[in-house]
Amino acid sequence: MARLIFITGGVVSSLGKGLASAALGALLQARGYKVRLRKLDPYLNVDPGTMSPFQHGEVYVTDDGAETDLDLGHYERFTAVSSARADNVTSGKIYQQVIEKERRGEYLGRTVQVIPHVTDMIKEFILAGSDGVDFLLCEIGGTVGDIEGLPFFEAIRQLGNDLGRDNHAFVHLTLVPYLGAAGELKTKPTQHSVKELRAIGIQPDILLCRAEKPIPDDERRKIGLFCNVPAQRVIPALDLPTIYQAPQAYHQVGFDTELLKVFGIHDAPQPDLSKWQWVVDRVKNPEGEVRIAVVGKYMQVKDSYKSLSEALAHGGLANNVKVTLEMIDSEIFERDDAAAFLENVNGILVPGGFGERGVEGKIQAVKFARERQVPFFGICYGLHMAVIETARDLAGLEGAGTTENGRPRHPVISLMTEWVKGNQLETRTESTDLGGTMRLGAYPAVLTPGSRVAEVYGRNEISERHRHRYEVNVNYVKHLAEHGLVVSGWSPDGRLPEIMEIPNHPWFIGVQFHPELKSRPFDPHPLFRSFIAAAVKQGRLV
Ligand code: GLN
């Protein structure tokens, strides 16, 4: 059975608990252990699929079609272990299951309560499918003390008892702030946070302390004393020049060694961190720089395009260049001349998105890229924008648009009402619920031999993850091809265009899926590798 590591957070949110969990997972993996990571989110939405990126950041999609928390993206980028639906659960989903079970009469007349019924359901989720894994890392969203998080904390407290001393560890992430005026690091918030944790019966085994300045040994001892943790298990986690340095940095301060000791493991092999060394060396020593404009909608929130900005950075690692992103709100192009903003970039990317706002601006950005021969990458909604722009400007289809935003004269993008997943027929209509009714998860695609994408991937069959309702309308495909925009990737049944490109452009590719979800720092996605290579080439031309 898997050993469990529970990762909780205190003091403030946004300390990077997801990243810390992911980096710890990678570090244990580097020691030869098999790991799996899970996230428990205390909010009441059944999944984050219906939440605005402004609220929640990116929605990460798994191969098996779950819409999940963006921390699962960190887990995958650090460990390359594909996450699944079972790796993210919310209070909403837990309560939904409990209530459904109650309605079926399966509680046999008993009063249904948070303890034990909700907590039992949480425990079931945590333990499901963990066979064959050495360490299951389980991150609890939010911070200790949040009302909605209580059932989760209670469930992991109980699990600690159920599993026994050598089979679980509690890691608590806190903040040790530096007060400039006093010139001191402050340990009190950490003491309070641990007090809160102990009040609900959890004694942390390891404290991971985020700090912007090194924590002197005296302070580590003091934290340890007040929090009932040995000083060597008070692990400083300082800000790093790149997140990908975290596995090495954690190892240097003994995080993994101490954690393994909690499990009674004293003779584990040393970690092989060579692939992380490669990543860190590449980040620190780029040979050049490219500027990429990302023209989208959710620009104020850094996390809205998390996987995308990481995948672009990975493309930079593959080409040994630093990738600087210009995050541009597409609405700007509806007011001003687009040129001024795009004149100095080496590539333009229009990412995924929903709804009408900013659409015409995105179309302007596509036009600029197409006419000025700037490398262009359209992802999902970005592909839709590319199709609309070429339909209008190249193919003479005035009034071309998407049925997502009304009733255009030429619906070049429209709703598919039926499609095949595996051997099952899936259906949807305009009025189907918004939650979970999209084409979601991994679908195969067949690439046209000789096309640019076939060359980029180096093979003719691929599998990529989707999250969308609308599709390129096949009825327009022939007409668009006659004017230069061709389909170069199809669903295996030949019904859904998955990739389109303009062959006589330096690099103009639109994809219906989200390739950014499958890029890893040590294994950059072929499309991002190739897009950045094209941007590097373009940079040399100007
Ligand atoms: N809004 C579009 C659709 O639903 C694209 C979605 C996306 O970009 N992920 O089809």
Side-chain angles (χ1 to χ4, degrees):
M1 207 187 117
R3 299 177 177 94
L4 270 88
I5 302 171
F6 299 108
I7 298 124
T8 58
V11 184
V12 290
S13 58
S14 307
L15 282 181
K17 208 164 1 108
L19 276 171
S21 307
L24 177 60
L27 184 48
L28 291 170
Q29 207 181 36
R31 285 194 183 246
Y33 293 111
K34 213 167 160 217
V35 299
R36 181 158 185 176
L37 288 106
R38 288 211 157 134
K39 174 91 193 274
L40 309 180
D41 277 312
Y43 51 74
L44 285 174
N45 302 59
V46 172
D47 64 42
T50 54
M51 272 192 253
S52 156
F54 288 121
Q55 284 265 314
H56 187 265
E58 159 188 287
V59 173
Y60 191 78
V61 180
T62 58
D63 274 332
D64 61 357
E67 297 179 280
T68 68
D69 188 79
L70 58 79
D71 279 335
L72 274 75
H74 294 313
Y75 304 164
E76 285 205 20
R77 281 188 286 279
F78 275 85
T79 65
V81 176
S82 284
S83 27
R85 183 174 298 276
D87 293 322
N88 187 200
V89 73
T90 67
S91 289
K93 199 181 275 168
I94 296 281
Y95 278 92
Q96 189 183 45
Q97 305 264 346
V98 169
I99 291 167
E100 280 171 7
K101 200 167 159 187
E102 184 271 334
R103 292 289 86 185
R104 289 194 301 268
E106 289 178 25
Y107 288 110
L108 307 174
R110 279 192 288 270
T111 309
V112 181
Q113 297 182 297
V114 173
I115 306 172
H117 302 106
V118 169
T119 45
D120 279 353
M121 191 63 85
I122 295 172
K123 284 156 72 175
E124 226 177 89
F125 262 104
I126 293 176
L127 295 176
S130 55
D131 297 342
V133 173
D134 297 312
F135 287 99
L136 179 68
L137 286 78
C138 187
E139 177 191 347
I140 319 291
T143 40
V144 59
D146 297 346
I147 290 178
E148 57 184 12
L150 277 173
F152 288 103
F153 282 90
E154 171 60 16
I156 64 170
R157 184 196 66 75
Q158 291 178 17
L159 266 179
N161 276 342
D162 300 350
L163 293 165
R165 182 56 285 180
D166 281 350
N167 292 316
H168 78 279
F170 290 110
V171 175
H172 189 57
L173 179 68
T174 73
L175 176 69
V176 179
Y178 178 75
L179 284 197
E184 279 175 35
L185 284 167
K186 289 293 174 193
T187 66
K188 192 71 87 188
T190 297
Q191 296 176 34
H192 276 287
S193 168
V194 172
K195 204 166 142 193
E196 193 92 40
L197 204 55
R198 292 172 71 192
I200 51 179
I202 295 174
Q203 167 63 51
D205 297 299
I206 301 231
L207 291 177
L208 190 59
C209 301
R210 288 297 311 272
E212 50 179 295
K213 294 206 184 277
I215 308 178
D217 283 347
D218 269 356
E219 298 300 304
R220 283 175 75 185
R221 269 195 293 275
K222 183 173 162 193
I223 296 172
L225 193 62
F226 280 96
C227 299
N228 197 27
V229 173
Q232 70 275 19
R233 292 189 182 169
V234 177
I235 309 284
L238 302 186
D239 296 344
L240 296 168
T242 158
I243 53 169
Y244 296 125
Q245 204 174 325
Q248 289 171 312
Y250 284 173
H251 179 60
Q252 271 156 17
V253 290
F255 187 9
D256 50 336
T257 311
E258 286 304 321
L259 182 69
L260 290 169
K261 282 188 199 158
V262 174
F263 289 98
I265 301 172
H266 297 271
D267 54 357
Q270 282 301 306
D272 173 6
L273 293 165
S274 47
K275 76 177 175 192
W276 294 108
Q277 188 58 50
W278 179 86
V279 173
V280 171
D281 285 345
R282 282 270 161 137
V283 175
K284 288 189 175 163
N285 307 302
E287 278 167 7
E289 184 185 356
V290 291
R291 304 184 80 78
I292 303 294
V294 177
V295 182
K297 179 166 152 188
Y298 314 105
M299 293 312 176
Q300 302 91 319
V301 186
K302 237 175 84 206
D303 279 350
S304 317
Y305 298 108
K306 191 67 206 166
S307 294
L308 182 71
S309 46
E310 290 303 312
L312 285 162
H314 303 164
L317 298 181
N319 290 282
N320 216 2
V321 292
K322 177 174 188 284
V323 177
T324 301
L325 301 184
E326 305 258 1
M327 307 298 277
I328 306 177
D329 192 321
S330 65
E331 277 184 309
I332 288 174
F333 302 123
E334 290 166 20
R335 297 192 297 265
D336 301 296
D337 181 16
F341 291 92
L342 298 175
E343 213 65 77
N344 296 317
V345 300
N346 311 113
I348 297 172
L349 190 148
V350 179
F354 293 84
E356 198 161 8
R357 191 167 65 76
V359 155
E360 293 304 320
K362 291 180 195 173
I363 293 171
Q364 287 306 313
V366 178
K367 187 177 168 68
F368 182 94
R370 185 178 58 73
E371 291 180 346
R372 304 280 284 264
Q373 306 278 296
V374 181
F376 171 80
F377 196 178
I379 294 181
C380 207
Y381 216 25
L383 164 70
H384 297 178
M385 299 302 122
V387 172
I388 295 170
E389 196 279 326
T390 36
R392 288 181 190 171
D393 291 343
L394 274 186
L397 299 173
E398 209 185 305
T402 162
T403 57
E404 179 166 353
N405 303 322
R407 304 243 162 273
R409 207 163 104 216
H410 290 288
V412 288
I413 307 295
S414 64
L415 193 76
M416 274 287 298
T417 51
E418 284 183 2
W419 72 97
V420 180
K421 179 161 196 176
N423 52 10
Q424 249 183 319
L425 187 71
E426 308 250 341
T427 54
R428 65 187 155 187
T429 67
E430 290 279 1
S431 59
T432 327
D433 278 359
L434 289 189
T437 58
M438 291 191 263
R439 183 147 81 100
L440 283 168
Y443 283 82
V446 180
L447 311 183
T448 309
S451 62
R452 172 162 292 139
V453 280
E455 183 195 316
V456 165
Y457 275 96
R459 59 201 145 101
N460 291 339
E461 268 178 52
I462 59 163
S463 169
E464 295 280 4
R465 298 183 196 168
H466 290 245
R467 180 175 185 250
H468 57 103
R469 280 189 196 88
Y470 298 84
E471 311 273 353
V472 176
N473 186 339
V474 280
N475 299 324
Y476 287 94
V477 158
K478 193 162 165 277
H479 185 71
L480 289 170
E482 282 161 12
H483 292 87
L485 181 68
V486 302
V487 177
S488 51
W490 287 95
S491 60
D493 62 3
R495 290 174 57 156
L496 303 172
E498 302 281 36
I499 307 176
M500 296 183 81
E501 59 185 60
I502 297 183
N504 65 1
H505 182 285
W507 207 100
F508 189 105
I509 295 177
V511 296
Q512 184 57 81
F513 45 80
H514 289 275
E516 70 273 23
L517 303 177
K518 285 179 61 168
S519 188
R520 320 275 176 246
F522 40 81
D523 185 16
H525 190 286
L527 282 168
F528 286 92
R529 183 190 286 263
S530 170
F531 176 57
I532 298 299
V536 171
K537 210 160 149 198
Q538 202 262 1
R540 292 208 185 98
L541 299 178
V542 289

